[in-house]
Amino acid sequence: MHTLGHVLDEAADFMMSQISTWISARLGRYAPMWILIGFGLTMIGGYSALSLRVDQDFMALLPPDAPEVRRLAQLNQRLGNQTDLVIAIESPSRDANIQFGTTLAKTLRTREDMRWVLFRRDKDFFEKHALLYMDLDELLELRDDVVDRIKESVEENVTEDFEEHEDAEKESGTAAPDPLSEQSIADKYDIDERMPEYMETDEGRLMVIKARPRIGPNDLEYAEQLNHDIQNTIQSLRPAGFHPEMTINIEGSFAEQTKRGRNMRSAVVDGSLAALFILLLSIAIFFRSLRAVGWVLVPLLISVISALGFASAYYGHLNLVSAFIFAVLLGLGIDFAVHILSRYRDERGRGTASETAWQVALSTTGVSTAAGALSTAGAFLVLSLSTFQGFAQFGVIAAVGVSLALLAALTLMPALTVLTSGKGHHTLGYQANKTAPQITPRTFPKAAAIVVIIALGFGVYGAYSIPQIEFEYDLSQLGPTRESEPANANTAQRQANTERWRDAAGRGTETAPAIALTSSLRETEQIHRQLSALIDKRDALKAKRPDPLPASPNTNQDNLAPDQNDEDDDDEDDPFENLEPQDITDIRDIIKATEVVEPDVAELLASYAPERHRVMVDRINKVFSVYDFVPSWQPEKLVLIRDMRRRIDAKRDALTEKDRQSVDKWYDKLQVNASFGPSELPEFVLEQLRDDDGQLGTFVLFWTLGPKANYKNSKRIRDAYFDLSVTGGTVPTAADYYALPAIIDAIVTDGPLVISGSILVMLLASWLLMGGWLGPLVVFGTVGIAILWLTAIMAINGWKTNLFNLIALPLLVGMGQDDALHLFHRYREGRDLRAAVKETGSAIFLTSWTTAIGFAGIFFANHRGLVSLAWVSVIGVMLCWLSSVVVLPAIIQLFEWQRRRSKTGAVAE
């Protein structure tokens, strides 16, 4: 009675026999048509593949419905690109830099693809409203200083003692800071620091222009064209005409992405061409025939180009993981043609006619090749179940490529041999040796047992080493492997210049921020005030002092208002001397009660869990929105400003000449009488704060601390800031670096599913091909031992798994099974292990070698993550070959010895 597995095995053999008979019988008649169809597919696929691009954005590694991707899409729709183009202008002359920067900025503003261009900031508006930009507690402190100074000035204006005291101070050089001087006031409102006229460093020797293109740097074609256009514009303006030593450099993400894109394309092309050359040379040496190179190469290229055409039509792009799919498919796809052509060569070497040789090759090796190819494609398709698109996209494209390569090997390659072989008896340089069939050993196969024991020993060590293999959570460790420029003095100078332009542009804001997407200015204000309060809290903790708030509910009133309780300063003729207006007292109460945080903001901050609030304080760095330019507490500040103006006006004539001159220099700042809102800001500010629909201020940008390439840091930030509280709901945030924790989480979640699915596909394919479970278990053990050897090597070398090399594990399961299936199926075909190892083993070596070469093409990538994928894949493929040709035959020998022993025992009984 046959088991289901044996029935399916016989059905597969029968079906493949019929297919091979049909193909071999029609080779002569339909060969030209099949080749024309193949070339037609190549033309279509090649045309489609011309538009295929590599998307280096990590968001491309997440599914389109991921929250991080949806939010970023919403952000791009509302705001467009949020990455700045930075142009650094450097010369010994600040004036020359200003002249050239003004000219270049004016030219850039004429480009339609620029949202805004910023070089010079007009500070008149901010100087006029300078006192409103002071913190409320600082403005109150200034008001108290003014009150005290007025009293001192009035009392000592006409006294000789005061003049002598003043002269003594000048002689001693210990004059106390004058609270009424313009410099003292400027130090408090700090407009020069908040809003410098130019973005500059090194006393203006280096200046920066910032521009915001409408399209981001991840569009490599646009970024390269933009860089090219701006370089031409710079050259047309002749910088040397402004100063002979002037240099202009494009900096920031646009320059970096352009360089990275060129390097990636160069690596892909170089790696693919190198892999292709070595593959062709290997085929020519193995088959000892240049004609065989064409027979293998043409179907292979047709299948790979068609797969790339599919990728272009279905995805439109390749991601970072699938970028080298061309080289990988070359190595994978060649396997099937090599195995079938190798069997055809063997049959021809035995003197079999061409048609019969093809029928034998397709009905025997073709069966195991089809099973191996379909199981490999199945393992690839399992990858598509992952939400990590590095797995999913690679898996789908590879599955299509492998399937097309199998189809081409079964049809196009036989057709090519018929059309190009002529009528001669071609054996591809091979003559089959007549060897006696192997006889099952009567004695215990000690060598085989030793091989199995050693293999299992290393496998056990590999299994023991698995917990020692760590996962790489820091993406910065997977970046470029080398600089594109040699490490020399020029490189060091370049790095120093990078630090300088970052200082000029504003450190912490040269990288892409996280962005809160608000629906109203009210929400924008609440988010901005929250984040500003967190920054104040962080600064206070960093300075190891209490929150930067001058008063607490238990503060002594004597310390708050010196003029309020000073009985010696009683002057009934001056209403301002002893009586503090109630509105000033109310402001003091506000400061004490709220600690200079608005009540509604304090309530929103209290809505976060304590641990989340702690992380928010710890990670916040900078914030920017329309309310960066609209100060808070404006009504209360206006009260203080009016109070100072009234006091100065009332006592102007009684002040000393020095104090009158000091006051006059900043008195114009006391003329502000009304608060202002976002729409009243200068145009150079407003153009940075409008969305694509012209709506003002409905977003908040914020920058956080710590490396965003580090999983733990980026996950802490994402979890803390993903949704921010506002009155009546929450506001979503989006950031490019939110992708990293989502990617790692997806890998951790989907990794076991993908590997388990690959193993299941392998067992199922083995069962369908061989029937029963003994064969599948032997194949599984062969592949499993190779994988455990790989883990041992990784542990010994201290290699870590990462989001790139993890993809190799399910691939190795499929490819290792393919090797084992071919050898085991060939052995079952004639029960001659020696012939199976000699003939099929050599073909397995070539296919393993070519697959390794395909992955070795990735070594050209200037990317440590991809290079780690290449190392794991190359070593893993060769270990699978070693296990298939050494361990598997040893296992078969042991099983054969045990079976013969069992039969002998049964006969004896």
Side-chain angles (χ1 to χ4, degrees):
M1 183 176 178
H2 294 290
T3 64
L4 177 60
H6 285 99
V7 172
L8 292 176
D9 180 26
E10 293 176 0
D13 288 341
F14 175 78
M15 181 177 66
M16 200 64 199
S17 175
Q18 295 299 311
I19 293 175
S20 61
T21 301
W22 187 89
I23 292 175
S24 58
R26 289 163 176 76
L27 283 176
R29 184 186 308 174
Y30 294 107
M33 182 185 69
W34 291 347
I35 294 174
L36 286 176
I37 292 174
F39 277 107
L41 290 174
T42 305
M43 296 295 292
I44 297 173
Y47 179 78
S48 177
L50 289 176
S51 60
L52 193 62
R53 59 185 179 84
V54 177
D55 189 344
Q56 300 186 60
D57 189 351
F58 272 92
M59 281 293 175
L61 298 177
L62 291 173
D65 60 347
E68 295 81 3
V69 177
R70 290 202 312 267
R71 290 188 178 189
L72 205 61
Q74 181 184 2
L75 170 66
N76 292 333
Q77 184 178 7
R78 282 180 54 178
L79 302 181
N81 166 52
Q82 288 297 307
T83 301
D84 292 339
L85 170 73
V86 179
I87 302 175
I89 306 167
E90 185 173 11
S91 81
S93 171
R94 183 176 187 269
D95 291 338
N97 292 342
I98 291 175
Q99 292 176 10
F100 181 83
T102 302
T103 304
L104 179 58
K106 182 179 179 180
T107 303
L108 292 177
R109 289 190 185 100
T110 63
R111 293 181 61 102
E112 294 183 356
D113 58 345
M114 293 294 172
R115 292 172 59 91
W116 50 262
V117 178
L118 180 62
F119 180 59
R120 177 183 176 272
R121 301 182 179 103
D122 185 353
K123 299 197 300 179
D124 291 346
F125 176 88
F126 299 98
E127 290 286 358
K128 176 182 176 182
H129 297 88
L131 297 182
L132 290 178
Y133 284 96
M134 294 177 63
D135 291 337
L136 182 60
D137 55 328
E138 291 182 347
L139 188 60
L140 178 61
E141 182 183 355
L142 173 63
R143 179 261 178 195
D144 292 343
D145 288 342
V146 168
V147 171
D148 291 343
R149 185 63 178 178
I150 288 174
K151 290 179 182 179
E152 294 174 5
S153 183
V154 169
E155 290 175 356
E156 301 175 0
N157 183 29
V158 294
T159 65
E160 184 175 339
D161 292 340
F162 173 74
E163 294 174 354
E164 293 175 354
H165 176 67
E166 186 179 36
D167 292 339
E169 285 181 339
K170 291 180 180 178
E171 292 175 3
S172 64
T174 59
D178 184 0
L180 296 187
S181 69
E182 182 180 25
Q183 187 58 49
S184 294
I185 306 300
D187 288 343
K188 289 182 178 294
Y189 62 71
D190 204 15
I191 286 297
D192 288 335
E193 180 68 23
R194 293 171 185 251
M195 186 65 61
E197 186 174 12
Y198 295 99
M199 293 171 284
E200 58 185 306
T201 189
D202 196 13
E203 298 181 343
R205 294 184 181 88
L206 187 145
M207 291 184 149
V208 162
I209 297 175
K210 275 187 179 182
R212 180 67 56 80
R214 297 184 183 277
I215 302 174
N218 288 328
D219 188 329
L220 293 180
E221 183 177 352
Y222 170 78
E224 289 181 352
Q225 186 62 47
L226 178 64
N227 275 269
H228 180 267
D229 291 348
I230 292 179
Q231 291 287 4
N232 289 340
T233 299
I234 291 171
Q235 294 302 318
S236 69
L237 295 178
R238 301 180 64 246
F242 292 82
H243 194 282
E245 299 179 30
M246 180 174 288
T247 58
I248 314 296
N249 291 302
I250 300 175
E251 307 285 2
S253 296
F254 278 89
E256 293 169 3
Q257 284 289 78
T258 299
K259 180 179 177 181
R260 194 176 299 127
R262 285 197 298 263
N263 291 341
M264 177 64 76
R265 279 200 302 270
S266 176
V268 170
V269 172
D270 292 347
S272 299
L273 291 178
L276 181 60
F277 174 77
I278 297 175
L279 291 178
L280 298 182
L281 183 62
S282 301
I283 294 170
I285 293 174
F286 180 79
F287 287 108
R288 287 174 278 177
S289 169
L290 291 178
R291 190 175 298 177
V293 174
W295 293 345
V296 173
L297 176 63
V298 172
L300 175 63
L301 289 180
I302 288 175
S303 62
V304 173
I305 292 174
S306 298
L308 293 179
F310 164 81
S312 179
Y314 190 71
Y315 291 108
H317 69 274
L318 299 176
N319 57 45
L320 271 174
V321 177
S322 60
F324 285 84
I325 193 69
F326 182 81
V328 174
L329 284 179
L330 286 177
L332 289 173
I334 203 173
D335 292 4
F336 318 123
V338 166
H339 277 297
I340 295 175
L341 186 61
S342 178
R343 183 58 184 270
Y344 170 77
R345 177 200 63 177
D346 295 343
E347 296 302 322
R348 293 285 281 163
R350 297 185 179 95
T352 308
S354 177
E355 180 178 326
T356 304
W358 274 120
Q359 184 176 356
V360 172
L362 294 178
S363 62
T364 55
T365 304
V367 175
S368 57
T369 299
L374 294 178
S375 65
T376 301
F380 281 129
L381 283 178
V382 169
L383 294 177
S384 67
L385 300 176
S386 174
T387 56
F388 174 48
Q389 294 302 293
F391 285 172
Q393 188 186 83
F394 189 102
V396 171
I397 298 173
V400 171
V402 165
S403 301
L404 291 175
L406 172 65
L407 183 62
L410 293 175
T411 57
L412 295 180
M413 186 173 64
L416 283 171
T417 60
V418 169
L419 288 180
T420 59
S421 293
K423 297 182 179 179
H425 185 75
H426 297 281
T427 62
L428 297 174
Y430 173 83
Q431 293 292 332
N433 294 325
K434 295 183 179 180
T435 58
Q438 178 181 342
I439 301 174
T440 304
R442 297 178 179 274
T443 60
F444 180 73
K446 296 180 181 179
I450 293 173
V451 167
V452 172
I453 291 172
I454 294 175
L456 289 176
F458 278 108
V460 170
Y461 176 77
Y464 174 78
S465 302
I466 291 177
Q468 303 175 28
I469 301 176
E470 301 177 2
F471 187 86
E472 182 58 79
Y473 287 100
D474 188 353
L475 207 62
S476 65
Q477 300 300 314
L478 303 177
T481 57
R482 59 185 182 273
E483 296 293 335
S484 59
E485 300 176 0
N488 52 31
N490 291 335
T491 303
Q493 182 61 43
R494 179 67 175 164
Q495 292 172 346
N497 289 341
T498 298
E499 295 300 312
R500 294 173 65 216
W501 75 253
R502 285 179 174 172
D503 285 336
R507 282 196 170 274
T509 60
E510 73 273 6
T511 56
I515 302 177
L517 299 171
T518 62
S519 58
S520 66
L521 285 174
R522 175 59 178 162
E523 289 186 353
T524 299
E525 182 178 15
Q526 289 186 349
I527 296 297
H528 183 97
R529 305 300 183 214
Q530 285 183 68
L531 299 180
S532 297
L534 293 172
I535 292 173
D536 291 341
K537 177 73 172 180
R538 182 211 64 196
D539 291 342
L541 293 173
K542 186 176 181 180
K544 296 183 180 180
R545 58 180 174 81
D547 288 357
L549 311 168
S552 66
N554 297 323
T555 302
N556 191 311
Q557 289 294 324
D558 293 338
N559 295 328
L560 276 177
D563 64 322
Q564 187 175 355
N565 297 313
D566 192 347
E567 297 179 359
D568 295 334
D569 290 336
D570 189 16
D571 186 351
E572 295 181 359
D573 294 333
D574 187 349
F576 297 113
E577 289 289 340
N578 286 317
L579 179 62
E580 179 172 84
Q582 182 61 43
D583 48 10
I584 303 295
T585 303
D586 292 342
I587 292 174
R588 295 188 192 279
D589 293 338
I590 289 173
I591 293 175
K592 288 189 295 180
T594 65
E595 298 183 330
V596 203
V597 176
E598 297 91 329
D600 60 334
V601 173
E603 181 180 351
L604 291 171
L605 290 175
S607 67
Y608 302 115
E611 177 59 23
R612 181 181 176 187
H613 185 274
R614 189 189 67 78
V615 174
M616 294 174 76
V617 171
D618 182 63
R619 294 293 87 192
I620 191 66
N621 185 19
K622 294 183 180 181
V623 60
F624 176 83
S625 78
V626 67
Y627 286 97
D628 216 39
F629 306 97
V630 180
S632 59
W633 300 103
Q634 290 190 60
E636 290 76 12
K637 291 176 181 178
L638 288 171
V639 168
L640 296 174
I641 292 171
R642 284 194 294 268
D643 183 74
M644 285 188 286
R645 187 172 66 238
R646 288 197 303 268
R647 290 176 181 275
I648 291 173
D649 290 345
K651 296 295 184 179
R652 178 178 291 277
D653 294 338
L655 297 177
T656 65
E657 181 63 24
K658 176 186 175 183
D659 285 340
R660 278 198 299 271
Q661 292 177 0
S662 295
V663 167
D664 287 343
K665 291 181 179 179
W666 60 274
Y667 183 76
D668 61 315
K669 295 178 175 56
L670 293 172
Q671 302 308 306
V672 59
N673 292 309
S675 59
F676 62 90
S679 62
E680 300 168 69
L681 292 168
E683 181 58 29
F684 83 88
V685 174
L686 295 178
E687 66 181 1
Q688 300 178 57
L689 298 168
R690 295 191 184 102
D691 61 22
D692 283 350
D693 295 329
Q695 191 172 359
L696 176 64
T698 54
F699 59 90
V700 180
L701 285 71
F702 60 97
W703 290 262
T704 51
L705 297 170
K708 308 308 181 294
N710 183 280
Y711 165 78
K712 295 180 180 178
N713 183 64
S714 59
K715 184 172 178 61
R716 288 179 68 206
I717 295 171
R718 179 202 177 279
D719 293 346
Y721 285 99
F722 201 62
D723 291 295
L724 298 176
S725 298
V726 294
T727 302
T730 60
V731 166
T733 68
D736 286 329
Y737 59 82
Y738 285 177
L740 177 58
I743 289 171
I744 301 299
D745 290 344
I747 291 175
V748 171
T749 302
D750 298 343
L753 172 65
V754 167
I755 295 175
S756 300
S758 299
I759 293 174
L760 181 61
V761 169
M762 178 189 69
L763 290 173
L764 182 61
S766 302
W767 178 67
L768 290 174
L769 177 65
M770 293 181 286
W773 288 107
L774 180 59
L777 289 176
V778 170
V779 171
F780 174 76
T782 304
V783 177
I785 286 175
I787 300 296
L788 290 176
W789 289 350
L790 176 62
T791 61
I793 292 175
M794 293 179 67
I796 291 172
N797 288 281
W799 294 351
K800 296 181 179 181
T801 57
N802 57 60
L803 61 89
F804 293 96
N805 61 29
L806 265 180
I807 197 174
L809 296 180
L811 303 187
L812 289 174
V813 170
M815 292 182 289
Q817 180 214 18
D818 189 38
D819 293 344
L821 274 180
H822 276 291
L823 187 62
F824 196 81
H825 189 267
R826 183 64 182 274
Y827 160 71
R828 286 186 58 192
E829 185 183 321
R831 294 291 178 182
D832 189 341
L833 184 58
R834 184 179 301 161
V837 172
K838 180 180 182 302
E839 296 181 355
T840 304
S842 60
I844 292 174
F845 172 76
L846 178 61
T847 57
S848 298
W849 167 253
T850 54
T851 300
I853 292 301
F855 279 104
I858 303 178
F859 284 128
F860 284 83
N862 183 21
H863 193 282
R864 280 172 287 184
L866 291 173
V867 170
S868 73
L869 167 62
W871 275 116
V872 170
S873 300
V874 169
I875 293 175
V877 166
M878 298 315 296
L879 289 177
C880 287
W881 166 78
L882 185 64
S883 181
S884 295
V885 299
V886 176
V887 179
L888 179 58
I891 294 174
I892 292 175
Q893 280 188 301
L894 290 174
F895 273 113
E896 288 291 342
W897 175 81
Q898 177 62 32
R899 187 174 61 177
R900 182 177 181 84
R901 182 183 178 189
S902 299
K903 288 183 178 179
T904 303
V907 171
E909 291 179 2

